[in-house]
Amino acid sequence: MIHRMKKKINVFPVYNPANIENKWQKKWQSANRSGLGSASKIYKSTEDPNKEKFYVLDMFPYPSGEGLHVGHPKGYIATDIVSRFERMNGKSVLHPMGFDAFGLPAENYALKTKAHPEIGVKKNVARYKKQLEILGFDYDWSREINTTDPEYYRWTQWIFVQLFKKGLAYQSFEPINWCPSCKTGLANEDLEEGRCERCGTPVEKKPMRQWVLRITDYAERLLKDLDAVDNAGLPLIDWPASIKESQRNWIGKSEGSLITFTFSNASHKKNIEVFTTRPDTLFGVTYVVLAPEHALVADLLPVVKNRQEVEAYISQAKLETEIERTDAKKDKTGVELKGVKVINPVNKKEVPVWISDYVLADYGTGAVMAVPAHDDRDWAFAKKFKLPIKEVISPLFVSEYSSDAWRSQEPEVIRPTVVCIIKHWSENKYLFLNKKDLADLGKDVVVGVAGGIDGGEVHEVAGAREILEETGYKNARFVKSLGEPVAYRYYSKNGKQNRLGMLYPLYYELKDGEQVQVSEEEKFLHQTTWLTEKEMDVYLNTRPFNPIFWERFKGTTRPYTGYGILINSEKFDGTSSADAKRPITEYAGGAMKTTYKLRDWVFSRQRYWGEPIPLIHCEKCGVVHVPEKDLPVKLPKVKSYEPTGTGESPLATIDKWVNVKCPKCKGNAKRETNTMPQWAGSSWYYLRYMDPKNKKVLVDSAREKYWSPVDLYVGGAEHATRHLIYARFWHKCLYDIGIVSNIEPFKKLQSVGLIMGEDGRKMGKRYGNVVNPDDIVATYGADTLRLYEMFMGPFEQQIAWNTSSMVGSRRFIEKVWKLREKIDVTEVSIEADLYITKNIHKAIKKVTDDIQVLRFNTAISSLMIAVNEIDKQKSLTRPQYEVILQLLAPFVPHVAEELWMSLGNKKSVHISVWPEYDAKYLVDADMTIIVQVNGKVRGSFIATIDSSNADLEQRAKNLPDTNKWIEGKKIIKVVVVPKRLVNIVVV
RNA sequence: GCCGGGAUGGCGGAAUUGGUAGACGCACACGACUCAAAAUCGUGCGGAGUAAUCCAUGGGAGUUCGAUUCUCCCUCCCGGCACCA
């Protein structure tokens, strides 16, 4: 027995979060005065070379006028837990917070409230900060940043200057997305289904002077580095597959060829260049299509015979919005350029040229070669305008039956074959064969009458011959061919060779039932069978190509867009279409080419509330950048920041600000008046946290090397194709000029699942289902809110808020609080003491493992289990209790600190050393062995950990529960899974 | 259409080299305490059945001694891309 002194009964107050939360929040943030430990504030981040670093980052908020709802802090709670955990594990932690406040929402709010955006931003930031503070986060507020602070945006502008100097920023006059409501140009990333992401207004294409960033120069690196690995061969960026996939989709790489079609009329000097991912289908081109905006169209107009019709179509296309224009479901429209023909470079055949809005001007070359037989869109177009359809690929099928599977060691022979669909002379049924020689396949194999074509035989004659030989029917009338052949790869047992059958489908009708005797040999192989259309499934399922034949027979053919074997392609016939891409491209005199869907980043906004673009337009020198020493170019005060809608920003009206001397020639010049988009400041903010006050450089290189990269980045998945692409792009640019030392900014990315309203809808003012964290904190306390949000379910999963479920978290905290009364109240047996210790060590392991992989719900569950088990005992020791408090500290920092300090500790629990588990406490001496009979659980018994398999088997067989199940049966097998179960198999 | 993720009690969710399905929490029911209620504590809680037992992880097949877990097919839900040649 361990003897412990019985302590005097504690008079300890009941749990009341209001009494402790605010108190500790103040002490933590000014810990130097409160004497909580080290001389500095406990959350102060320092570049300590003796410590491993950990940089954990939240996507900083955009403070709106509405304040936070309970969904917003979910990610912040998670990073706070990780941050506290890593600090307790001895790491130097950087866990900063700041605010992103440039852009349309703040400006629109200012217009609405008729106050300068600066005022609203200040107010909203203060409100957000307060809301964050009452949740007890461990941010180092001395590193706070704000993107609208001139000391911050000085460096945003500095980065722009570097991009400009490298030629990565350029002026464009191309039509761009224009939001008529927000009165500004937008980037592709700012659109949602053709609408302005902010206000939902359909965007227009409007030609306008814009500053554009060459993100497409980085497309390949942005794509490739998603899969980059570090020296140890581990993924360099550990991101959710879905976000990586979204970025891949957005970048949209496709590899293909550029093929030139020359005009057959020698008077046109220019050619049409098309981009295609399917050069293997080049022999199937039956026309060429240009986008209505294509530059060649204007050149061709003088020689086009139907000029008026063409011009009418072009102006019609211009009237459509992007949404109408790119709706894949709408009917195809288009006009032929009459009198113009181009020559297909592979077969020198003339094909017509059309214009149609299904061809996009800004993708590829703005022109496509149409292969209606093998492309859905070309097919629809060709059908509508009655253009020819030429098949050049036979779908390829490979035998799936082992008995005739292709054998790799044998050569392959191409074998033309006919396959017949034969209709009854008077009824609606069709003649097939029930194959006997394939009976080993174990199912009914119904096939069409078919056979190889012997040298030079005409197909329809061969078909009639096969019908006679295999079925005896004499009078089969050939009706029609059912199109081009289908390729089938199999092994011929008779011919002892691999074959590539080219199966020609033919349709016959029997005139009558007149029959001759079928040879004994044929009779042995199969018998005939008649199927109605309804019974067709039997036939359709037996060979993979059957559905294609049947489709063709019924006239419901669709284009075949897959790969296969080339036909009607001259010298390429019989080759695999996938392998023929390069040879055909070369044969056509074309070149392989890679294209991306990613567009350059339209970077200017015709609005007031953004970073001024630091450029100067000089009459003599052209566009020059503001010298770095003169940055920031401060956003001037302006009387009206109402957008003008003219394509100029409101800044253009401030002559005093606009008119400057050229930094190069000192002559008269004007400032650029466009501002940067909302995404600018957030594209690099994670770097500034490393060195927020530096007046000389963006970030000190030693500090950057210490903190980079961000170890854990937590935020919403909706940023996958905006912020996260832009930040990676800027980061790579900064890497190229030596400012940062890693090619990727964010090592591990974790997306936060949204918290929905209690009604299951998105939480927001418009549904009236907003839950305010301030109210929850007032009623339940911040610790309960934190615990509940982490316990709700898997962190990355979207989940509905449920206030009534939250009491469970509060009860748990109170249980822990009351557990304090049981410290050393009585003597404890060795068994009970060990029991408690074991439970604690199990919890240490589970919590430690789970926090690192962000599985907070199961971490909390394991803590609940441990506390429940301990609570069953009469007493526990102070060290045992303290470990529980340490494990709880990241989740419920206030309660943990209050209880920790109440025990007489002098230093904060949050800078105590994270407990370690001892593996010897994780194993139990006994184990429960499950006994199954034929896989069903029939009983169980307790065995010691060192029992042999033979012991377990014997005990299982002797178990009374199992007896009735094995009595009188024969045991044919016993499966023993060590430490788990015994399964007795009987018959 | 293509790609990615998912479906488990009344509810949120646990459980994976395949080995007792429903941990933990909410709700609910009953009991204790109370004049009473709340709070708290205790017990029960997938469905059917008196029971033995049977059924049950979206549906259907398969592999296996054994499947929530692996394979194939299907349905539905969420997210991304989409006339991208």
Side-chain angles (χ1 to χ4, degrees):
Chain A
M1 292 295 276
I2 298 168
H3 291 270
R4 292 196 188 114
M5 298 305 294
K6 196 170 172 176
K7 289 232 169 140
K8 65 174 194 290
I9 294 162
N10 269 315
V11 184
F12 194 66
V14 296
Y15 174 59
N16 182 357
N19 293 343
I20 62 169
E21 291 183 350
N22 186 259
K23 175 179 83 180
W24 287 114
Q25 283 155 19
K26 279 187 187 150
K27 289 196 180 179
W28 290 331
Q29 289 296 342
S30 57
N32 46 340
R33 274 180 287 126
S34 63
L36 271 184
S38 56
S40 58
K41 301 177 181 180
I42 62 171
Y43 300 147
K44 178 124 178 139
S45 303
T46 49
E47 293 76 20
D48 184 342
N50 299 318
K51 281 184 178 177
E52 208 180 317
K53 66 94 187 180
F54 196 88
Y55 186 0
V56 51
L57 181 66
D58 297 295
M59 289 185 188
F60 63 165
Y62 191 101
S64 74
E66 286 155 40
L68 295 168
H69 63 62
V70 287
H72 293 119
K74 184 174 169 190
Y76 309 153
I77 296 168
T79 57
D80 196 62
I81 289 165
V82 172
S83 157
R84 291 172 187 277
F85 171 80
E86 297 291 353
R87 183 181 299 108
M88 289 172 81
N89 276 283
K91 295 193 184 155
S92 184
V93 172
L94 177 55
H95 184 215
M97 184 42 91
F99 300 93
D100 186 22
F102 265 140
L104 288 181
E107 186 174 320
N108 289 338
Y109 181 74
L111 289 168
K112 213 171 76 186
T113 58
K114 303 205 187 308
H116 192 276
E118 225 168 60
I119 297 166
V121 165
K122 217 171 247 170
K123 206 176 80 191
N124 293 342
V125 164
R127 166 124 189 249
Y128 265 59
K129 251 183 110 165
K130 192 157 189 201
Q131 285 190 297
L132 293 175
E133 274 165 358
I134 62 168
L135 294 173
F137 295 134
D138 69 351
Y139 297 121
D140 177 356
W141 284 110
S142 71
R143 290 178 185 251
E144 178 183 353
I145 57 166
N146 184 319
T147 54
T148 63
D149 178 353
E151 283 305 303
Y152 179 87
Y153 70 69
R154 168 185 181 185
W155 298 105
T156 311
Q157 290 174 336
W158 183 87
I159 294 170
F160 181 88
V161 168
Q162 309 314 308
L163 297 176
F164 178 76
K165 289 204 285 197
K166 283 203 77 179
L168 290 168
Y170 64 96
Q171 247 179 137
S172 159
F173 300 87
E174 296 295 305
I176 53 127
N177 306 304
W178 171 263
C179 173
S181 162
C182 295
K183 295 176 182 157
T184 183
L186 297 171
N188 263 16
E189 286 79 5
D190 296 320
L191 307 191
E192 265 172 15
E193 291 171 353
R195 292 166 187 276
C196 170
E197 181 266 334
R198 290 247 60 94
C199 66
T201 310
V203 300
E204 299 164 356
K205 283 278 182 195
K206 197 167 168 177
M208 186 172 290
R209 184 184 68 85
Q210 294 284 337
W211 284 98
V212 181
L213 300 185
R214 283 190 207 280
I215 190 170
T216 51
D217 279 11
Y218 284 74
E220 189 58 34
R221 283 166 69 185
L222 288 168
L223 183 68
K224 195 186 70 200
D225 290 345
L226 288 173
D227 299 314
V229 292
D230 62 16
N231 294 334
L234 297 167
L236 192 68
I237 59 174
D238 173 15
W239 287 21
S242 59
I243 293 195
K244 283 191 179 181
E245 195 56 29
S246 288
Q247 292 210 347
R248 282 189 202 103
N249 283 343
W250 191 261
I251 294 165
K253 179 178 183 171
S254 65
E255 289 177 289
S257 308
L258 289 176
I259 307 284
T260 303
F261 285 71
T262 51
F263 289 103
S264 54
N265 181 335
S267 67
H268 310 312
K269 295 212 175 62
K270 291 185 177 165
N271 305 313
I272 296 180
E273 192 169 52
V274 303
F275 173 72
T276 178
T277 55
R278 295 299 300 273
D280 52 318
T281 63
L282 198 45
F283 285 89
V285 171
T286 55
Y287 60 103
V288 164
V289 196
L290 301 174
E293 305 90 333
H294 197 287
L296 265 180
V297 176
D299 293 350
L300 289 168
L301 274 179
V303 297
V304 167
K305 288 183 181 148
N306 53 340
R307 179 167 182 164
Q308 283 196 334
E309 197 189 356
V310 171
E311 285 178 331
Y313 182 79
I314 294 170
S315 40
Q316 178 61 38
K318 271 186 193 152
L319 288 177
E320 292 180 321
T321 66
E322 274 303 288
I323 303 174
E324 290 163 348
R325 172 82 201 258
T326 57
D327 181 6
K329 287 170 204 90
K330 79 168 187 185
D331 247 17
K332 295 275 180 291
T333 60
V335 180
E336 184 180 354
L337 301 182
K338 293 212 171 115
V340 176
K341 301 268 186 205
V342 289
I343 296 170
N344 185 339
V346 285
N347 56 14
K348 311 299 176 204
K349 292 227 168 82
E350 266 192 357
V351 291
V353 178
W354 287 65
I355 58 169
S356 170
D357 64 2
Y358 85 89
V359 176
L360 306 175
D362 60 357
Y363 181 77
T365 60
V368 303
M369 59 180 227
V371 186
H374 303 294
D375 181 275
D376 290 313
R377 298 147 302 178
D378 298 344
W379 169 275
F381 194 81
K383 281 280 176 191
K384 173 152 179 190
F385 294 105
K386 308 219 164 27
L387 291 159
I389 295 170
K390 181 186 170 194
E391 282 181 63
V392 289
I393 295 175
S394 280
L396 172 65
F397 297 95
V398 177
S399 172
E400 76 282 34
Y401 295 136
S402 57
S403 65
D404 61 353
W406 203 77
R407 299 181 188 182
S408 57
Q409 69 277 18
E410 309 283 341
E412 182 173 85
V413 175
I414 294 181
R415 167 92 164 166
T417 303
V418 289
V419 178
C420 309
I421 291 181
I422 308 147
K423 190 168 185 254
H424 192 268
W425 54 93
S426 62
E427 294 172 48
N428 254 334
K429 50 189 190 183
Y430 301 86
L431 183 61
F432 294 101
L433 302 175
N434 236 323
K435 275 287 214 189
K436 285 179 181 165
D437 59 337
L438 291 172
D440 61 309
L441 302 175
K443 57 174 163 176
D444 267 358
V445 175
V446 177
V447 298
V449 171
I453 303 171
D454 302 321
E457 199 180 8
V458 177
H459 291 179
E460 53 188 89
V461 175
R465 176 177 52 73
E466 290 291 345
I467 293 169
L468 182 68
E469 282 174 16
E470 298 196 337
T471 72
Y473 285 103
K474 283 174 71 179
N475 302 317
R477 184 174 66 89
F478 173 74
V479 183
K480 61 178 176 182
S481 155
L482 295 174
E484 299 290 348
V486 165
Y488 185 57
R489 185 163 270 165
Y490 67 104
Y491 179 77
S492 163
K493 278 173 285 188
N494 293 339
K496 295 210 165 30
Q497 61 187 190
N498 287 317
R499 283 183 179 163
L500 181 63
M502 299 303 286
L503 314 183
Y504 290 85
L506 305 175
Y507 175 49
Y508 289 84
E509 286 175 0
L510 291 175
K511 276 188 271 186
D512 51 44
E514 202 183 324
Q515 245 178 321
V516 297
Q517 263 307 335
V518 177
S519 74
E520 286 304 312
E521 189 193 353
E522 292 284 353
K523 267 190 192 164
F524 173 76
L525 290 174
H526 47 71
Q527 56 196 116
T528 56
T529 181
W530 291 95
L531 295 178
T532 63
E533 287 193 19
K534 278 187 183 161
E535 291 165 339
M536 244 341 147
D537 329 350
V538 190
Y539 160 74
L540 294 178
N541 292 335
T542 52
R543 297 263 120 156
F545 45 77
N546 285 346
I548 290 196
F549 291 159
W550 192 242
E551 253 180 27
R552 289 190 189 173
F553 175 63
K554 308 261 288 181
T556 53
T557 324
R558 287 165 294 139
Y560 176 73
T561 58
Y563 291 105
I565 301 296
L566 287 172
I567 53 171
N568 300 324
S569 299
E570 301 178 7
K571 65 173 189 172
F572 297 98
D573 280 1
T575 58
S576 148
S577 64
D579 297 341
K581 285 182 170 188
R582 186 175 287 274
I584 290 185
T585 301
E586 282 164 8
Y587 184 61
M592 303 305 279
K593 159 90 177 171
T594 302
T595 358
Y596 301 89
K597 279 196 286 187
L598 185 72
R599 298 273 76 103
D600 275 342
W601 181 5
V602 173
F603 195 69
S604 43
R605 298 290 177 272
Q606 293 70 48
R607 300 280 298 224
Y608 171 72
W609 190 237
E611 302 89 341
I613 293 177
L615 294 176
I616 289 167
H617 298 263
C618 169
E619 286 159 22
K620 278 188 211 148
C621 311
V623 181
V624 293
H625 68 82
V626 173
E628 276 102 322
K629 66 174 171 50
D630 294 341
L631 297 176
V633 176
K634 282 197 191 167
L635 190 59
K637 297 272 193 241
V638 58
K639 283 204 183 83
S640 164
Y641 34 83
E642 197 84 39
T644 62
T646 60
E648 291 292 333
S649 101
L651 295 178
T653 62
I654 315 172
D655 292 341
K656 255 173 76 182
W657 184 80
V658 170
N659 296 314
V660 286
K661 297 287 176 220
C662 170
K664 264 194 190 158
C665 69
K666 310 296 174 201
N668 286 337
K670 285 183 187 300
R671 283 193 192 278
E672 171 63 53
T673 57
N674 279 337
T675 55
M676 297 189 197
Q678 200 197 306
W679 306 105
S682 59
S683 295
W684 70 281
Y685 74 111
Y686 56 93
L687 294 171
R688 192 61 179 171
Y689 284 134
M690 299 172 186
D691 194 8
K693 302 282 194 296
N694 200 319
K695 292 202 185 278
K696 298 215 168 64
V697 287
L698 183 153
V699 57
D700 173 74
S701 148
R703 287 177 181 237
E704 191 277 332
K705 282 197 177 69
Y706 183 79
W707 291 116
S708 281
V710 174
D711 295 282
L712 174 64
Y713 193 24
V714 175
E718 70 274 15
H719 291 111
T721 53
R722 288 187 199 139
H723 161 61
L724 288 171
I725 288 226
Y726 292 148
R728 291 182 65 219
F729 165 48
W730 275 30
H731 192 87
K732 287 177 190 303
C733 296
L734 292 172
Y735 177 83
D736 291 346
I737 58 171
I739 305 295
V740 297
S741 52
N742 297 82
I743 59 170
E744 285 289 333
F746 313 120
K747 187 164 175 33
K748 182 179 166 94
L749 177 73
Q750 176 66 49
S751 41
V752 194
L754 278 182
I755 293 183
M756 312 301 280
E758 279 192 283
D759 52 8
R761 292 185 296 186
K762 212 171 163 173
M763 202 175 274
K765 214 163 63 171
R766 81 185 119 151
Y767 298 123
N769 59 359
V770 173
V771 180
N772 188 325
D774 305 8
D775 300 338
I776 300 296
V777 169
T779 318
Y780 297 91
D783 284 329
T784 299
L785 176 70
R786 292 171 59 113
L787 197 65
Y788 171 62
E789 291 207 4
M790 293 300 101
F791 185 60
M792 287 173 89
F795 179 67
E796 69 285 355
Q797 188 177 300
Q798 175 177 312
I799 200 159
W801 178 265
N802 186 340
T803 300
S804 73
S805 280
M806 203 167 43
V807 303
S809 300
R810 170 71 185 243
R811 282 180 195 150
F812 172 64
I813 289 171
E814 288 181 14
K815 191 176 274 189
V816 172
W817 186 274
K818 281 190 202 140
L819 199 57
R820 185 182 180 282
E821 293 166 11
K822 290 194 179 177
I823 295 175
D824 297 330
V825 293
T826 183
E827 290 169 359
V828 170
S829 68
I830 291 173
E831 289 75 25
D833 186 74
L834 183 65
Y835 182 75
I836 291 172
T837 302
K838 277 186 165 184
N839 272 292
I840 287 173
H841 281 254
K842 276 181 193 160
I844 297 174
K845 174 163 170 50
K846 184 74 178 150
V847 173
T848 307
D849 292 350
D850 282 356
I851 288 180
Q852 289 172 83
V853 290
L854 284 345
R855 288 163 48 122
F856 307 111
N857 57 330
T858 49
I860 293 166
S861 161
S862 71
L863 281 165
M864 288 173 167
I865 293 169
V867 169
N868 286 346
E869 292 305 317
I870 295 166
D871 198 30
K872 286 178 189 164
Q873 309 301 319
K874 291 192 175 64
S875 178
L876 80 164
T877 65
R878 176 175 153 180
Q880 286 171 335
Y881 188 62
E882 285 184 341
V883 171
I884 294 288
L885 296 180
Q886 286 180 297
L887 295 180
L888 280 164
F891 300 93
V892 287
H894 313 88
V895 176
E897 185 81 310
E898 177 72 16
L899 292 169
W900 176 263
M901 289 298 188
S902 78
L903 297 172
N905 287 300
K906 292 283 177 277
K907 290 187 181 178
S908 168
V909 68
H910 301 296
I911 49 173
S912 68
V913 178
W914 187 257
E916 276 181 42
Y917 63 87
D918 188 334
K920 77 179 177 201
Y921 293 118
L922 302 181
V923 288
D924 289 315
D926 298 333
M927 52 193 183
T928 304
I929 301 297
I930 301 307
V931 182
Q932 297 182 338
V933 178
N934 287 350
K936 298 210 177 207
V937 179
R938 297 302 183 190
S940 67
F941 61 89
I942 308 277
T944 52
I945 195 90
D946 49 4
S947 307
S948 72
N949 284 4
D951 287 348
L952 297 179
E953 181 173 338
Q954 200 45 243
R955 285 192 63 188
K957 284 178 179 166
N958 295 340
L959 204 66
D961 291 343
T962 48
N963 235 308
K964 61 187 276 197
W965 297 99
I966 51 181
E967 220 164 38
K969 303 263 176 71
K970 191 179 162 207
I971 297 176
I972 54 168
K973 189 175 182 180
V974 178
V975 181
V976 180
V977 182
K979 297 179 191 177
R980 292 221 183 254
L981 62 71
V982 179
N983 187 13
I984 302 166
V985 187
V986 299
V987 282

